[in-house]
Amino acid sequence: LDPRFEVDLAVTRLSYLSSWVTPGELKAAIEEVRAALGGRLVSGDAAVPPVPQPQGPVQTVNTIEELRAGAVDALAARDMPLSAALGQTKDWALSGDEVTLASDSAFVIQQLEEAGERIAACLSNLWGKPLKFKLRRCDKPEAEETTLPPQVEILKQTFKGAVEEE
């Protein structure tokens, strides 16, 4: 379980024990513990200093290939389906402050459009300056159709099969 959920559940249970602890007493006790720890977080028996948050965007990539790989990796930690969809894109191009991505899947394009702001923020954070992103649909290359003899077509339709290439 999430540690935050466990703490919230414990506080909720404690606040229902009105004959033992009033909500005001509970709040005062939590404030005393917080003051005693000096704002540090507690994990198990050891006090752990708070994790520093990055200050503003930091440029960590220099090429469009690094940007693509970094964005897929960064999103994998928070949203694996979105990361997978971004990984299925191709033909990344950077023009000014706009990154253009291509996909031949309508589903992938819909997923990425719905998460547009999060993707743009991730790309901007990795690149080090504000970036917008644009999606475009690319068509799948069509395979050449070969003309089959009528007998083969009948067999193919009857048995719902396909002709395999050698």
Side-chain angles (χ1 to χ4, degrees):
L1 286 177
D2 181 16
R4 175 65 188 200
F5 176 73
E6 291 178 13
V7 169
D8 288 347
L9 185 60
V11 169
T12 302
R13 286 181 179 164
L14 284 174
S15 64
Y16 279 107
L17 301 174
S18 59
S19 60
W20 293 350
V21 180
T22 66
E25 291 172 332
L26 179 62
K27 181 180 178 193
I30 291 173
E31 293 300 323
E32 287 177 28
V33 170
R34 189 176 287 157
L37 292 174
R40 293 179 294 168
L41 303 174
V42 176
S43 173
D45 293 342
V48 179
V51 177
Q53 298 297 320
Q55 300 296 322
V58 178
Q59 183 172 356
T60 59
V61 297
N62 296 315
T63 65
I64 195 72
E65 292 83 14
E66 290 176 352
L67 179 63
R68 180 179 189 263
V72 170
D73 290 343
L75 289 172
R78 292 177 279 160
D79 191 346
M80 186 53 92
L82 182 59
S83 173
L86 195 62
Q88 293 177 19
T89 59
K90 53 189 168 189
D91 300 333
W92 282 50
L94 179 63
S95 175
D97 66 342
E98 186 173 80
V99 177
T100 305
L101 322 173
S103 177
D104 54 11
S105 168
F107 178 71
V108 168
I109 290 175
Q110 179 185 359
Q111 259 189 316
L112 297 176
E113 284 176 343
E114 288 174 1
E117 291 180 15
R118 290 188 314 176
I119 294 171
C122 179
L123 295 174
S124 298
N125 189 31
L126 289 170
W127 194 251
K129 60 182 180 180
L131 290 176
K132 297 179 264 181
F133 88 103
K134 185 171 89 173
L135 294 165
R136 67 178 176 83
R137 172 92 186 211
C138 64
D139 296 322
K140 292 182 184 179
E142 293 185 24
E144 292 182 24
E145 288 190 30
T146 57
T147 307
L148 299 173
Q151 297 87 350
V152 175
E153 283 292 335
I154 292 170
L155 285 172
K156 192 171 112 180
Q157 291 174 358
T158 303
F159 294 106
K160 297 179 182 157
V163 177
E164 291 186 13
E165 299 295 322
E166 291 182 30

mmCIF file of all heavy atoms in Angstrom, residues 97-149:
data_model
loop_
_atom_site.group_PDB
_atom_site.id
_atom_site.type_symbol
_atom_site.label_atom_id
_atom_site.label_comp_id
_atom_site.label_asym_id
_atom_site.label_seq_id
_atom_site.Cartn_x
_atom_site.Cartn_y
_atom_site.Cartn_z
ATOM 1 N N ASP A 97 10.452 25.809 -31.955
ATOM 2 C CA ASP A 97 10.027 25.344 -30.639
ATOM 3 C C ASP A 97 8.925 24.292 -30.753
ATOM 4 O O ASP A 97 8.147 24.111 -29.829
ATOM 5 C CB ASP A 97 9.549 26.522 -29.791
ATOM 6 C CG ASP A 97 8.286 27.166 -30.341
ATOM 7 O OD1 ASP A 97 7.969 26.934 -31.530
ATOM 8 O OD2 ASP A 97 7.614 27.888 -29.582
ATOM 9 N N GLU A 98 8.885 23.594 -31.877
ATOM 10 C CA GLU A 98 7.834 22.601 -32.093
ATOM 11 C C GLU A 98 8.431 21.251 -32.483
ATOM 12 O O GLU A 98 9.248 21.164 -33.405
ATOM 13 C CB GLU A 98 6.889 23.078 -33.187
ATOM 14 C CG GLU A 98 5.691 22.191 -33.391
ATOM 15 C CD GLU A 98 4.711 22.800 -34.372
ATOM 16 O OE1 GLU A 98 4.961 22.690 -35.582
ATOM 17 O OE2 GLU A 98 3.719 23.368 -33.903
ATOM 18 N N VAL A 99 8.018 20.210 -31.755
ATOM 19 C CA VAL A 99 8.431 18.849 -32.061
ATOM 20 C C VAL A 99 7.278 18.186 -32.799
ATOM 21 O O VAL A 99 6.136 18.215 -32.333
ATOM 22 C CB VAL A 99 8.750 18.061 -30.776
ATOM 23 C CG1 VAL A 99 9.113 16.618 -31.099
ATOM 24 C CG2 VAL A 99 9.859 18.727 -30.001
ATOM 25 N N THR A 100 7.556 17.610 -33.950
ATOM 26 C CA THR A 100 6.535 16.926 -34.748
ATOM 27 C C THR A 100 6.763 15.422 -34.660
ATOM 28 O O THR A 100 7.881 14.955 -34.855
ATOM 29 C CB THR A 100 6.604 17.371 -36.220
ATOM 30 O OG1 THR A 100 6.498 18.795 -36.269
ATOM 31 C CG2 THR A 100 5.472 16.759 -37.020
ATOM 32 N N LEU A 101 5.689 14.690 -34.358
ATOM 33 C CA LEU A 101 5.730 13.240 -34.255
ATOM 34 C C LEU A 101 4.758 12.659 -35.264
ATOM 35 O O LEU A 101 3.756 13.281 -35.591
ATOM 36 C CB LEU A 101 5.298 12.759 -32.866
ATOM 37 C CG LEU A 101 5.720 13.550 -31.640
ATOM 38 C CD1 LEU A 101 5.042 13.002 -30.408
ATOM 39 C CD2 LEU A 101 7.205 13.495 -31.485
ATOM 40 N N ALA A 102 5.024 11.460 -35.714
ATOM 41 C CA ALA A 102 4.131 10.808 -36.666
ATOM 42 C C ALA A 102 3.759 9.427 -36.148
ATOM 43 O O ALA A 102 4.557 8.766 -35.483
ATOM 44 C CB ALA A 102 4.796 10.685 -38.026
ATOM 45 N N SER A 103 2.542 9.011 -36.463
ATOM 46 C CA SER A 103 2.087 7.670 -36.136
ATOM 47 C C SER A 103 1.082 7.231 -37.182
ATOM 48 O O SER A 103 0.353 8.056 -37.736
ATOM 49 C CB SER A 103 1.451 7.634 -34.747
ATOM 50 O OG SER A 103 0.956 6.338 -34.477
ATOM 51 N N ASP A 104 1.038 5.927 -37.430
ATOM 52 C CA ASP A 104 0.052 5.413 -38.371
ATOM 53 C C ASP A 104 -1.145 4.809 -37.640
ATOM 54 O O ASP A 104 -2.028 4.260 -38.265
ATOM 55 C CB ASP A 104 0.689 4.384 -39.313
ATOM 56 C CG ASP A 104 1.402 3.274 -38.565
ATOM 57 O OD1 ASP A 104 1.240 3.172 -37.342
ATOM 58 O OD2 ASP A 104 2.133 2.507 -39.211
ATOM 59 N N SER A 105 -1.197 4.947 -36.329
ATOM 60 C CA SER A 105 -2.285 4.395 -35.529
ATOM 61 C C SER A 105 -3.175 5.510 -34.992
ATOM 62 O O SER A 105 -2.707 6.411 -34.284
ATOM 63 C CB SER A 105 -1.710 3.600 -34.353
ATOM 64 O OG SER A 105 -2.713 3.292 -33.418
ATOM 65 N N ALA A 106 -4.453 5.438 -35.312
ATOM 66 C CA ALA A 106 -5.400 6.439 -34.808
ATOM 67 C C ALA A 106 -5.509 6.371 -33.289
ATOM 68 O O ALA A 106 -5.667 7.394 -32.617
ATOM 69 C CB ALA A 106 -6.771 6.225 -35.446
ATOM 70 N N PHE A 107 -5.404 5.161 -32.734
ATOM 71 C CA PHE A 107 -5.483 4.992 -31.278
ATOM 72 C C PHE A 107 -4.322 5.698 -30.582
ATOM 73 O O PHE A 107 -4.511 6.399 -29.592
ATOM 74 C CB PHE A 107 -5.510 3.508 -30.914
ATOM 75 C CG PHE A 107 -5.536 3.255 -29.439
ATOM 76 C CD1 PHE A 107 -6.672 3.527 -28.704
ATOM 77 C CD2 PHE A 107 -4.421 2.753 -28.788
ATOM 78 C CE1 PHE A 107 -6.700 3.304 -27.335
ATOM 79 C CE2 PHE A 107 -4.437 2.525 -27.426
ATOM 80 C CZ PHE A 107 -5.582 2.799 -26.692
ATOM 81 N N VAL A 108 -3.120 5.517 -31.100
ATOM 82 C CA VAL A 108 -1.936 6.154 -30.515
ATOM 83 C C VAL A 108 -2.065 7.671 -30.602
ATOM 84 O O VAL A 108 -1.790 8.386 -29.637
ATOM 85 C CB VAL A 108 -0.647 5.656 -31.216
ATOM 86 C CG1 VAL A 108 0.551 6.512 -30.846
ATOM 87 C CG2 VAL A 108 -0.394 4.201 -30.872
ATOM 88 N N ILE A 109 -2.509 8.167 -31.737
ATOM 89 C CA ILE A 109 -2.675 9.612 -31.903
ATOM 90 C C ILE A 109 -3.690 10.157 -30.909
ATOM 91 O O ILE A 109 -3.472 11.188 -30.279
ATOM 92 C CB ILE A 109 -3.069 9.949 -33.356
ATOM 93 C CG1 ILE A 109 -1.872 9.695 -34.279
ATOM 94 C CG2 ILE A 109 -3.551 11.390 -33.483
ATOM 95 C CD1 ILE A 109 -2.151 9.864 -35.737
ATOM 96 N N GLN A 110 -4.800 9.446 -30.707
ATOM 97 C CA GLN A 110 -5.817 9.886 -29.745
ATOM 98 C C GLN A 110 -5.241 9.912 -28.330
ATOM 99 O O GLN A 110 -5.449 10.878 -27.588
ATOM 100 C CB GLN A 110 -7.027 8.974 -29.795
ATOM 101 C CG GLN A 110 -8.105 9.371 -28.806
ATOM 102 C CD GLN A 110 -9.255 8.385 -28.767
ATOM 103 O OE1 GLN A 110 -9.271 7.399 -29.488
ATOM 104 N NE2 GLN A 110 -10.213 8.647 -27.906
ATOM 105 N N GLN A 111 -4.498 8.867 -27.956
ATOM 106 C CA GLN A 111 -3.891 8.820 -26.631
ATOM 107 C C GLN A 111 -2.947 9.992 -26.410
ATOM 108 O O GLN A 111 -2.971 10.636 -25.361
ATOM 109 C CB GLN A 111 -3.090 7.522 -26.467
ATOM 110 C CG GLN A 111 -3.768 6.452 -25.696
ATOM 111 C CD GLN A 111 -2.817 5.306 -25.410
ATOM 112 O OE1 GLN A 111 -2.065 4.872 -26.282
ATOM 113 N NE2 GLN A 111 -2.851 4.807 -24.205
ATOM 114 N N LEU A 112 -2.131 10.280 -27.398
ATOM 115 C CA LEU A 112 -1.155 11.355 -27.263
ATOM 116 C C LEU A 112 -1.818 12.724 -27.259
ATOM 117 O O LEU A 112 -1.375 13.629 -26.546
ATOM 118 C CB LEU A 112 -0.106 11.254 -28.371
ATOM 119 C CG LEU A 112 0.752 9.981 -28.354
ATOM 120 C CD1 LEU A 112 1.678 9.959 -29.554
ATOM 121 C CD2 LEU A 112 1.529 9.844 -27.066
ATOM 122 N N GLU A 113 -2.866 12.909 -28.048
ATOM 123 C CA GLU A 113 -3.578 14.188 -28.054
ATOM 124 C C GLU A 113 -4.235 14.457 -26.706
ATOM 125 O O GLU A 113 -4.252 15.584 -26.225
ATOM 126 C CB GLU A 113 -4.620 14.210 -29.167
ATOM 127 C CG GLU A 113 -4.027 14.405 -30.545
ATOM 128 C CD GLU A 113 -5.058 14.323 -31.659
ATOM 129 O OE1 GLU A 113 -6.171 13.798 -31.429
ATOM 130 O OE2 GLU A 113 -4.737 14.765 -32.778
ATOM 131 N N GLU A 114 -4.782 13.410 -26.075
ATOM 132 C CA GLU A 114 -5.433 13.584 -24.771
ATOM 133 C C GLU A 114 -4.432 13.985 -23.691
ATOM 134 O O GLU A 114 -4.780 14.674 -22.746
ATOM 135 C CB GLU A 114 -6.151 12.301 -24.367
ATOM 136 C CG GLU A 114 -7.394 12.028 -25.176
ATOM 137 C CD GLU A 114 -8.031 10.684 -24.879
ATOM 138 O OE1 GLU A 114 -7.513 9.933 -24.018
ATOM 139 O OE2 GLU A 114 -9.056 10.367 -25.511
ATOM 140 N N ALA A 115 -3.199 13.551 -23.820
ATOM 141 C CA ALA A 115 -2.168 13.860 -22.832
ATOM 142 C C ALA A 115 -1.205 14.927 -23.350
ATOM 143 O O ALA A 115 -0.054 14.982 -22.921
ATOM 144 C CB ALA A 115 -1.402 12.590 -22.483
ATOM 145 N N GLY A 116 -1.668 15.771 -24.238
ATOM 146 C CA GLY A 116 -0.814 16.755 -24.894
ATOM 147 C C GLY A 116 -0.051 17.662 -23.954
ATOM 148 O O GLY A 116 1.149 17.893 -24.148
ATOM 149 N N GLU A 117 -0.708 18.189 -22.925
ATOM 150 C CA GLU A 117 -0.045 19.118 -22.016
ATOM 151 C C GLU A 117 1.056 18.424 -21.224
ATOM 152 O O GLU A 117 2.130 18.983 -21.023
ATOM 153 C CB GLU A 117 -1.061 19.753 -21.074
ATOM 154 C CG GLU A 117 -2.003 20.712 -21.767
ATOM 155 C CD GLU A 117 -3.005 21.326 -20.809
ATOM 156 O OE1 GLU A 117 -2.813 21.234 -19.581
ATOM 157 O OE2 GLU A 117 -3.990 21.892 -21.297
ATOM 158 N N ARG A 118 0.781 17.196 -20.779
ATOM 159 C CA ARG A 118 1.795 16.456 -20.016
ATOM 160 C C ARG A 118 2.998 16.124 -20.887
ATOM 161 O O ARG A 118 4.140 16.215 -20.440
ATOM 162 C CB ARG A 118 1.211 15.171 -19.436
ATOM 163 C CG ARG A 118 0.220 15.435 -18.329
ATOM 164 C CD ARG A 118 -0.195 14.175 -17.639
ATOM 165 N NE ARG A 118 -0.519 13.138 -18.608
ATOM 166 C CZ ARG A 118 -0.837 11.904 -18.274
ATOM 167 N NH1 ARG A 118 -0.861 11.538 -17.034
ATOM 168 N NH2 ARG A 118 -1.135 11.020 -19.205
ATOM 169 N N ILE A 119 2.750 15.753 -22.128
ATOM 170 C CA ILE A 119 3.858 15.430 -23.033
ATOM 171 C C ILE A 119 4.676 16.682 -23.332
ATOM 172 O O ILE A 119 5.906 16.654 -23.311
ATOM 173 C CB ILE A 119 3.339 14.779 -24.325
ATOM 174 C CG1 ILE A 119 2.711 13.419 -24.008
ATOM 175 C CG2 ILE A 119 4.457 14.619 -25.341
ATOM 176 C CD1 ILE A 119 1.977 12.790 -25.165
ATOM 177 N N ALA A 120 3.994 17.786 -23.606
ATOM 178 C CA ALA A 120 4.705 19.041 -23.887
ATOM 179 C C ALA A 120 5.549 19.461 -22.681
ATOM 180 O O ALA A 120 6.688 19.905 -22.842
ATOM 181 C CB ALA A 120 3.716 20.131 -24.271
ATOM 182 N N ALA A 121 5.012 19.306 -21.480
ATOM 183 C CA ALA A 121 5.765 19.652 -20.270
ATOM 184 C C ALA A 121 6.990 18.752 -20.111
ATOM 185 O O ALA A 121 8.078 19.219 -19.765
ATOM 186 C CB ALA A 121 4.866 19.542 -19.039
ATOM 187 N N CYS A 122 6.817 17.476 -20.379
ATOM 188 C CA CYS A 122 7.933 16.528 -20.285
ATOM 189 C C CYS A 122 9.014 16.871 -21.311
ATOM 190 O O CYS A 122 10.201 16.915 -20.981
ATOM 191 C CB CYS A 122 7.418 15.106 -20.489
ATOM 192 S SG CYS A 122 8.708 13.850 -20.424
ATOM 193 N N LEU A 123 8.606 17.130 -22.551
ATOM 194 C CA LEU A 123 9.563 17.484 -23.599
ATOM 195 C C LEU A 123 10.294 18.780 -23.255
ATOM 196 O O LEU A 123 11.509 18.886 -23.437
ATOM 197 C CB LEU A 123 8.869 17.605 -24.949
ATOM 198 C CG LEU A 123 8.259 16.326 -25.529
ATOM 199 C CD1 LEU A 123 7.482 16.643 -26.805
ATOM 200 C CD2 LEU A 123 9.311 15.272 -25.777
ATOM 201 N N SER A 124 9.557 19.765 -22.764
ATOM 202 C CA SER A 124 10.157 21.053 -22.396
ATOM 203 C C SER A 124 11.163 20.885 -21.271
ATOM 204 O O SER A 124 12.243 21.489 -21.284
ATOM 205 C CB SER A 124 9.066 22.037 -21.974
ATOM 206 O OG SER A 124 8.190 22.286 -23.039
ATOM 207 N N ASN A 125 10.809 20.050 -20.288
ATOM 208 C CA ASN A 125 11.703 19.816 -19.154
ATOM 209 C C ASN A 125 13.005 19.157 -19.621
ATOM 210 O O ASN A 125 14.087 19.534 -19.185
ATOM 211 C CB ASN A 125 11.009 18.946 -18.109
ATOM 212 C CG ASN A 125 11.796 18.865 -16.827
ATOM 213 O OD1 ASN A 125 12.493 19.793 -16.455
ATOM 214 N ND2 ASN A 125 11.698 17.735 -16.155
ATOM 215 N N LEU A 126 12.892 18.205 -20.514
ATOM 216 C CA LEU A 126 14.082 17.517 -21.009
ATOM 217 C C LEU A 126 14.939 18.414 -21.906
ATOM 218 O O LEU A 126 16.160 18.363 -21.856
ATOM 219 C CB LEU A 126 13.695 16.252 -21.777
ATOM 220 C CG LEU A 126 13.153 15.102 -20.944
ATOM 221 C CD1 LEU A 126 12.577 14.026 -21.843
ATOM 222 C CD2 LEU A 126 14.240 14.531 -20.053
ATOM 223 N N TRP A 127 14.290 19.221 -22.734
ATOM 224 C CA TRP A 127 15.014 20.057 -23.700
ATOM 225 C C TRP A 127 15.614 21.290 -23.050
ATOM 226 O O TRP A 127 16.594 21.842 -23.517
ATOM 227 C CB TRP A 127 14.092 20.419 -24.853
ATOM 228 C CG TRP A 127 14.810 20.978 -26.038
ATOM 229 C CD1 TRP A 127 14.791 22.272 -26.475
ATOM 230 C CD2 TRP A 127 15.668 20.265 -26.944
ATOM 231 N NE1 TRP A 127 15.570 22.403 -27.594
ATOM 232 C CE2 TRP A 127 16.123 21.174 -27.908
ATOM 233 C CE3 TRP A 127 16.078 18.953 -27.040
ATOM 234 C CZ2 TRP A 127 16.979 20.819 -28.941
ATOM 235 C CZ3 TRP A 127 16.930 18.596 -28.068
ATOM 236 C CH2 TRP A 127 17.359 19.518 -29.005
ATOM 237 N N GLY A 128 14.974 21.763 -21.978
ATOM 238 C CA GLY A 128 15.492 22.923 -21.267
ATOM 239 C C GLY A 128 14.843 24.239 -21.650
ATOM 240 O O GLY A 128 15.194 25.275 -21.123
ATOM 241 N N LYS A 129 13.900 24.205 -22.567
ATOM 242 C CA LYS A 129 13.148 25.405 -22.924
ATOM 243 C C LYS A 129 11.770 24.959 -23.416
ATOM 244 O O LYS A 129 11.581 23.802 -23.780
ATOM 245 C CB LYS A 129 13.864 26.246 -23.973
ATOM 246 C CG LYS A 129 14.121 25.555 -25.279
ATOM 247 C CD LYS A 129 14.873 26.473 -26.232
ATOM 248 C CE LYS A 129 15.122 25.772 -27.551
ATOM 249 N NZ LYS A 129 15.835 26.606 -28.491
ATOM 250 N N PRO A 130 10.793 25.866 -23.414
ATOM 251 C CA PRO A 130 9.422 25.474 -23.781
ATOM 252 C C PRO A 130 9.333 24.902 -25.197
ATOM 253 O O PRO A 130 9.882 25.462 -26.138
ATOM 254 C CB PRO A 130 8.635 26.783 -23.687
ATOM 255 C CG PRO A 130 9.443 27.666 -22.796
ATOM 256 C CD PRO A 130 10.880 27.269 -23.006
ATOM 257 N N LEU A 131 8.674 23.767 -25.292
ATOM 258 C CA LEU A 131 8.430 23.124 -26.581
ATOM 259 C C LEU A 131 6.956 22.785 -26.715
ATOM 260 O O LEU A 131 6.294 22.482 -25.734
ATOM 261 C CB LEU A 131 9.237 21.812 -26.698
ATOM 262 C CG LEU A 131 10.743 21.903 -26.842
ATOM 263 C CD1 LEU A 131 11.340 20.504 -26.843
ATOM 264 C CD2 LEU A 131 11.125 22.633 -28.102
ATOM 265 N N LYS A 132 6.476 22.857 -27.933
ATOM 266 C CA LYS A 132 5.129 22.386 -28.259
ATOM 267 C C LYS A 132 5.309 21.113 -29.057
ATOM 268 O O LYS A 132 6.371 20.891 -29.623
ATOM 269 C CB LYS A 132 4.369 23.414 -29.090
ATOM 270 C CG LYS A 132 4.131 24.734 -28.388
ATOM 271 C CD LYS A 132 3.409 25.685 -29.292
ATOM 272 C CE LYS A 132 4.478 26.563 -29.939
ATOM 273 N NZ LYS A 132 3.993 27.560 -30.820
ATOM 274 N N PHE A 133 4.263 20.291 -29.083
ATOM 275 C CA PHE A 133 4.395 19.140 -29.944
ATOM 276 C C PHE A 133 3.163 19.003 -30.810
ATOM 277 O O PHE A 133 2.066 19.410 -30.439
ATOM 278 C CB PHE A 133 4.694 17.862 -29.141
ATOM 279 C CG PHE A 133 3.506 17.118 -28.662
ATOM 280 C CD1 PHE A 133 3.094 15.963 -29.309
ATOM 281 C CD2 PHE A 133 2.788 17.540 -27.575
ATOM 282 C CE1 PHE A 133 1.999 15.258 -28.868
ATOM 283 C CE2 PHE A 133 1.691 16.845 -27.129
ATOM 284 C CZ PHE A 133 1.297 15.697 -27.782
ATOM 285 N N LYS A 134 3.388 18.485 -32.001
ATOM 286 C CA LYS A 134 2.327 18.345 -32.986
ATOM 287 C C LYS A 134 2.362 16.915 -33.500
ATOM 288 O O LYS A 134 3.427 16.335 -33.704
ATOM 289 C CB LYS A 134 2.565 19.335 -34.124
ATOM 290 C CG LYS A 134 1.461 19.373 -35.155
ATOM 291 C CD LYS A 134 1.669 20.521 -36.128
ATOM 292 C CE LYS A 134 2.531 20.045 -37.284
ATOM 293 N NZ LYS A 134 2.658 21.029 -38.355
ATOM 294 N N LEU A 135 1.175 16.349 -33.669
ATOM 295 C CA LEU A 135 1.061 14.990 -34.197
ATOM 296 C C LEU A 135 0.610 15.034 -35.632
ATOM 297 O O LEU A 135 -0.172 15.898 -36.017
ATOM 298 C CB LEU A 135 0.030 14.200 -33.383
ATOM 299 C CG LEU A 135 0.403 13.924 -31.941
ATOM 300 C CD1 LEU A 135 -0.817 13.479 -31.164
ATOM 301 C CD2 LEU A 135 1.479 12.878 -31.878
ATOM 302 N N ARG A 136 1.097 14.097 -36.401
ATOM 303 C CA ARG A 136 0.594 13.966 -37.767
ATOM 304 C C ARG A 136 0.396 12.488 -38.055
ATOM 305 O O ARG A 136 1.084 11.634 -37.509
ATOM 306 C CB ARG A 136 1.512 14.617 -38.781
ATOM 307 C CG ARG A 136 2.848 13.991 -38.956
ATOM 308 C CD ARG A 136 3.673 14.710 -40.037
ATOM 309 N NE ARG A 136 4.987 14.156 -40.115
ATOM 310 C CZ ARG A 136 5.289 13.066 -40.804
ATOM 311 N NH1 ARG A 136 4.342 12.434 -41.476
ATOM 312 N NH2 ARG A 136 6.521 12.591 -40.831
ATOM 313 N N ARG A 137 -0.547 12.237 -38.890
ATOM 314 C CA ARG A 137 -0.873 10.857 -39.269
ATOM 315 C C ARG A 137 -0.044 10.492 -40.490
ATOM 316 O O ARG A 137 -0.007 11.222 -41.476
ATOM 317 C CB ARG A 137 -2.373 10.780 -39.583
ATOM 318 C CG ARG A 137 -2.848 9.489 -40.156
ATOM 319 C CD ARG A 137 -3.307 8.577 -39.096
ATOM 320 N NE ARG A 137 -3.637 7.290 -39.681
ATOM 321 C CZ ARG A 137 -4.547 6.515 -39.202
ATOM 322 N NH1 ARG A 137 -5.229 6.878 -38.161
ATOM 323 N NH2 ARG A 137 -4.778 5.357 -39.748
ATOM 324 N N CYS A 138 0.627 9.358 -40.430
ATOM 325 C CA CYS A 138 1.328 8.857 -41.607
ATOM 326 C C CYS A 138 0.664 7.543 -41.991
ATOM 327 O O CYS A 138 0.241 6.771 -41.144
ATOM 328 C CB CYS A 138 2.818 8.680 -41.350
ATOM 329 S SG CYS A 138 3.221 7.467 -40.114
ATOM 330 N N ASP A 139 0.522 7.345 -43.257
ATOM 331 C CA ASP A 139 -0.158 6.152 -43.741
ATOM 332 C C ASP A 139 0.807 4.977 -43.792
ATOM 333 O O ASP A 139 1.991 5.138 -44.093
ATOM 334 C CB ASP A 139 -0.752 6.397 -45.131
ATOM 335 C CG ASP A 139 -1.840 7.463 -45.084
ATOM 336 O OD1 ASP A 139 -2.599 7.466 -44.102
ATOM 337 O OD2 ASP A 139 -1.904 8.278 -46.016
ATOM 338 N N LYS A 140 0.245 3.799 -43.512
ATOM 339 C CA LYS A 140 1.038 2.578 -43.620
ATOM 340 C C LYS A 140 1.316 2.315 -45.093
ATOM 341 O O LYS A 140 0.441 2.513 -45.933
ATOM 342 C CB LYS A 140 0.277 1.384 -43.054
ATOM 343 C CG LYS A 140 0.077 1.432 -41.572
ATOM 344 C CD LYS A 140 -0.648 0.187 -41.113
ATOM 345 C CE LYS A 140 -0.945 0.259 -39.638
ATOM 346 N NZ LYS A 140 -1.672 -0.913 -39.165
ATOM 347 N N PRO A 141 2.508 1.873 -45.396
ATOM 348 C CA PRO A 141 2.768 1.533 -46.803
ATOM 349 C C PRO A 141 1.928 0.318 -47.198
ATOM 350 O O PRO A 141 1.862 -0.662 -46.467
ATOM 351 C CB PRO A 141 4.266 1.204 -46.837
ATOM 352 C CG PRO A 141 4.658 0.974 -45.423
ATOM 353 C CD PRO A 141 3.659 1.692 -44.566
ATOM 354 N N GLU A 142 1.269 0.432 -48.321
ATOM 355 C CA GLU A 142 0.412 -0.653 -48.770
ATOM 356 C C GLU A 142 1.247 -1.716 -49.462
ATOM 357 O O GLU A 142 2.108 -1.415 -50.277
ATOM 358 C CB GLU A 142 -0.656 -0.123 -49.728
ATOM 359 C CG GLU A 142 -1.642 0.800 -49.037
ATOM 360 C CD GLU A 142 -2.746 1.218 -49.968
ATOM 361 O OE1 GLU A 142 -3.026 0.494 -50.945
ATOM 362 O OE2 GLU A 142 -3.334 2.271 -49.715
ATOM 363 N N ALA A 143 0.947 -2.960 -49.116
ATOM 364 C CA ALA A 143 1.650 -4.077 -49.728
ATOM 365 C C ALA A 143 1.109 -4.289 -51.135
ATOM 366 O O ALA A 143 -0.072 -4.060 -51.411
ATOM 367 C CB ALA A 143 1.451 -5.337 -48.897
ATOM 368 N N GLU A 144 1.991 -4.715 -52.006
ATOM 369 C CA GLU A 144 1.561 -4.978 -53.375
ATOM 370 C C GLU A 144 0.654 -6.203 -53.390
ATOM 371 O O GLU A 144 0.936 -7.208 -52.761
ATOM 372 C CB GLU A 144 2.776 -5.247 -54.262
ATOM 373 C CG GLU A 144 3.642 -4.058 -54.485
ATOM 374 C CD GLU A 144 4.801 -4.405 -55.405
ATOM 375 O OE1 GLU A 144 4.687 -5.360 -56.195
ATOM 376 O OE2 GLU A 144 5.819 -3.711 -55.296
ATOM 377 N N GLU A 145 -0.443 -6.065 -54.055
ATOM 378 C CA GLU A 145 -1.357 -7.193 -54.166
ATOM 379 C C GLU A 145 -0.994 -7.991 -55.416
ATOM 380 O O GLU A 145 -0.786 -7.444 -56.484
ATOM 381 C CB GLU A 145 -2.801 -6.702 -54.256
ATOM 382 C CG GLU A 145 -3.322 -6.159 -52.953
ATOM 383 C CD GLU A 145 -4.819 -5.914 -53.010
ATOM 384 O OE1 GLU A 145 -5.523 -6.623 -53.745
ATOM 385 O OE2 GLU A 145 -5.251 -4.993 -52.329
ATOM 386 N N THR A 146 -0.941 -9.281 -55.212
ATOM 387 C CA THR A 146 -0.668 -10.149 -56.351
ATOM 388 C C THR A 146 -1.981 -10.767 -56.807
ATOM 389 O O THR A 146 -2.863 -11.037 -56.005
ATOM 390 C CB THR A 146 0.317 -11.270 -55.966
ATOM 391 O OG1 THR A 146 -0.213 -11.996 -54.866
ATOM 392 C CG2 THR A 146 1.669 -10.691 -55.585
ATOM 393 N N THR A 147 -2.108 -10.955 -58.066
ATOM 394 C CA THR A 147 -3.307 -11.566 -58.616
ATOM 395 C C THR A 147 -3.176 -13.079 -58.516
ATOM 396 O O THR A 147 -2.206 -13.673 -58.972
ATOM 397 C CB THR A 147 -3.491 -11.164 -60.091
ATOM 398 O OG1 THR A 147 -3.435 -9.741 -60.175
ATOM 399 C CG2 THR A 147 -4.805 -11.665 -60.622
ATOM 400 N N LEU A 148 -4.161 -13.669 -57.846
ATOM 401 C CA LEU A 148 -4.156 -15.108 -57.663
ATOM 402 C C LEU A 148 -5.083 -15.769 -58.671
ATOM 403 O O LEU A 148 -6.099 -15.179 -59.064
ATOM 404 C CB LEU A 148 -4.609 -15.453 -56.244
ATOM 405 C CG LEU A 148 -3.744 -14.906 -55.103
ATOM 406 C CD1 LEU A 148 -4.411 -15.186 -53.778
ATOM 407 C CD2 LEU A 148 -2.357 -15.502 -55.147
ATOM 408 N N PRO A 149 -4.785 -16.988 -59.052
ATOM 409 C CA PRO A 149 -5.698 -17.719 -59.937
ATOM 410 C C PRO A 149 -7.058 -17.909 -59.260
ATOM 411 O O PRO A 149 -7.134 -17.972 -58.026
ATOM 412 C CB PRO A 149 -5.007 -19.072 -60.159
ATOM 413 C CG PRO A 149 -3.594 -18.878 -59.725
ATOM 414 C CD PRO A 149 -3.574 -17.740 -58.764
#
